[in-house]
Amino acid sequence: MDLKETLVGIVDKIVYQNADNGFTVFTLQQNRQKESTTIKGYVPKLHPGEQVTLVGSWVTHPKFGKQFEAEQCTASVPTSILGIKRYLASGLIKGIGPVYADKLVDAFGADVLNVIDKQPHLLNNVSGIGPKRVERIIAGWQDQKDISHIMVFLQDKGISPTYATKIYKRYGTQAIEVLTENPYRLADDIWGIGFKIADQIAQNMGFAFDSIKRITSGLLFVLGDIVSNGHLYHEVQALKDDAVKLLELEMNDEIIHKLKLALHDLYNQDKIRLVSPPDAKHYVALTRYYSAERGVAQKLLKLLEYPPMNPINANDVYSSLRVESKDGIDLNEDQQRAIMTCLQHKVSVITGGPGTGKTTIIKKMLGFLDQFHYRYRLAAPTGRAAKRINESTGRNAETLHRLLEFDVSAMNFARNEQNALPIDFLIIDEASMIDIFLAYAVVKALPLNAHVIFIGDIDQLPSVGAGNFLNDIIASGAVPCVRLTEIFRQAQDSLIIQNAHRINRGEFPTSFLPDARRDFVFIKEEEPEKVPMHLEDILKNKLPRFGIKPERSIVLVPMNRGAVGTQKLNDDLQRILNPEDTQQKVMVHGSTFKVGDRVMQIRNNYDKLIFNGDIGTIEEVDVEERQIKVNFFDRLLDYESTELDELVLAYAITIHKSQGSEYDAAIVPIFMQHFTLLQRNLLYTAITRAKKLCIFIGQSKAIGMAVRNNKSLVRTTFLQQFLTTDLQCR
């Protein structure tokens, strides 16, 4: 039996801290001991300078030697000069970093924390500290006191309070009251806190294992989880089974009754809706997703039926398309049919692969709309996609969020049914990226007399968000659609274009075709661990031969984890592309952010109007405040310390997150360790991101598996049926 010991000391240095589960490795400085002690364990969020009392036992790590494994940890405000200085220098209190920590301790000694708490007006007497900084320090100290109270509360319940700052930011001084009433709210209200953490808090607060609140939260979690995989609906019995499994309950009569009660409560609160298609199974959806999909169908059908304000003479248009083009843009039969379809029908779709002339159609359409003085707007789901349209057409294009005028104060779009867009035509590119919520927002903002044209490639991966909008409206047959298949002559000499179509046909990509540019390269490699070596050679030697700058390239991989996942490769690529060792850096979840780093936003942030998948570059790092400034599309955005977990390094990103983007060079490692995600549309999406050069690195077997696998995950949606049948819904 291990003997438990108690250690008391000051946190010296945080070596590693996992924000998800609280596991931390740090060094402890004990009184009258020169050497610091290495501590590991699941502890509250700690900062250098804090005084802690630890209960645990000594262990020996095979690599790192003797360590103390903490089972309990109680943190308190430090009392020694050294501890206070480190505590203040940690950045825990806004307005104070290492420089001001020294000044404050020099001025007030061990009484400095009491001065900040009880006599903050004395801070004005310290040289270099002005009224504005004093205000920040007072506010930061009050926040920290409230957060500390929450941290103590959570710690008392056996939970590592790594999310205390977010909880306080969301609920303020009501945080403990909210958690006491229903801790399951955390999973819905706070990004980064899932059901399991909320459930652990609830269990330690005494909520019964089979309580209705727990079962209700479990059902909502399962419905939210299927949404994260793109589905909108879950079959009722499967929903119950998944909830029981998640909650680790037994499916007996009592639990069946409670599941029924929980579902009735959710229905009566209008949190879920029921759909009954002809197959006799019943499906459940979260109300907001059902309402969005049903609303999209209803508005599209209205648009298709409603006559345009200024009917277009089809014969005149067709005649103008048939004559030799004055603008130098000649169209084939499919392209002419596509333009006629868009002009004759209120809702239409144009789809096709690379090199089939989608951009040419947009240019020709814009010329026609200008000629006849129609009001139109050009848009795309992301900033990167909008920029591409602007570059290819020379016309202004904007993101759908900007088009619809997102109002941060109302957290909604200003353009809607009551305030429709003043347009005759809306042309949306990269429509395969549109999820059901964005689709609903778009169609709600359209006046009934307007035309809307969706342009996209349905052979790419589906949208990151839930739903299957573009595929569903095409499959319904209710919306006129033209599919472009002919590859234009100027695109035929590109191996990138040819291989994209080969992959789409289920054929292995080739590195050589007669009369084709060698803009596609396959580097065979059986060992995933050697990928960083290849990347360094490509970035430093191969790209310059093609006249491509490394910053105009991207590494695309199927997943985040593993030897060739984004997390590992981003560390390698940062070392290659931004190796400068500087003091101006901040650590976030094991990653280092420095000036010049390419980073990606990983959640929608409506306050900043920046969205999941947007990529920018770090321009400034404030070590004192743990803040950074990131340039997104020529907008410089500030990130506070509590917001840094919304960013990840983006030298390497997942193929899914690359949709709507184009890079001079795309480097794509593909290995069998990715086997769960190896699908044809994954490779197709990856290769079509490259403009000048695409390089595959990996195993022929893995590429072959992906090319042969055309069985993409079928998303459970009902938009197709809503457009064509009258489903029973309640």
Side-chain angles (χ1 to χ4, degrees), residues 201-245:
I201 294 173
Q203 294 299 301
N204 289 324
M205 291 176 65
F207 281 75
F209 209 56
D210 60 352
S211 69
I212 288 291
K213 280 186 178 178
R214 184 169 188 262
I215 290 172
T216 300
S217 183
L219 289 165
L220 290 174
F221 175 80
V222 172
L223 287 173
D225 192 50
I226 62 120
V227 165
S228 68
N229 290 318
H231 306 288
L232 299 181
Y233 303 85
H234 205 10
E235 194 270 321
V236 173
Q237 189 56 51
L239 170 62
K240 293 177 181 178
D241 292 341
D242 287 349
V244 167
K245 183 178 179 181

Side-chain angles (χ1 to χ4, degrees), residues 259-312:
L259 283 165
K260 187 175 180 180
L261 287 177
L263 286 169
H264 276 294
D265 286 347
L266 289 171
Y267 180 79
N268 290 334
Q269 295 169 35
D270 198 29
K271 290 186 176 181
I272 61 171
R273 296 296 296 269
L274 192 67
V275 175
S276 301
D279 64 5
K281 288 184 178 180
H282 300 295
Y283 291 82
V284 177
L286 294 169
T287 298
R288 59 186 181 274
Y289 291 97
Y290 163 84
S291 299
E293 191 174 57
R294 191 67 184 265
V296 166
Q298 291 172 340
K299 184 59 179 284
L300 288 180
L301 291 173
K302 279 185 181 179
L303 284 167
L304 286 165
E305 294 171 359
Y306 198 87
M309 182 180 295
N310 300 307
I312 296 170

Side-chain angles (χ1 to χ4, degrees), residues 19-33:
D20 294 329
N21 59 21
F23 180 77
T24 306
V25 179
F26 64 98
T27 56
L28 183 76
Q29 189 70 52
Q30 295 174 267
N31 293 337
R32 295 184 297 278
Q33 289 192 12

Side-chain angles (χ1 to χ4, degrees), residues 521-573:
V521 178
F522 175 35
I523 300 173
K524 292 184 179 181
E525 178 55 72
E526 294 297 321
E527 300 179 38
E529 294 75 16
K530 291 184 178 179
V531 167
M533 175 191 70
H534 289 293
L535 292 177
E536 186 160 12
D537 178 54
I538 291 167
L539 292 165
K540 290 185 175 180
N541 301 316
K542 287 189 171 62
L543 293 190
R545 293 179 204 149
F546 284 84
I548 298 173
K549 296 179 180 179
E551 59 268 25
R552 297 289 299 163
S553 68
I554 191 72
V555 176
L556 303 176
V557 288
M559 60 179 60
N560 290 314
R561 299 186 183 277
V564 280
T566 60
Q567 295 169 355
K568 167 68 167 57
L569 292 182
N570 269 316
D571 289 339
D572 295 323
L573 289 163

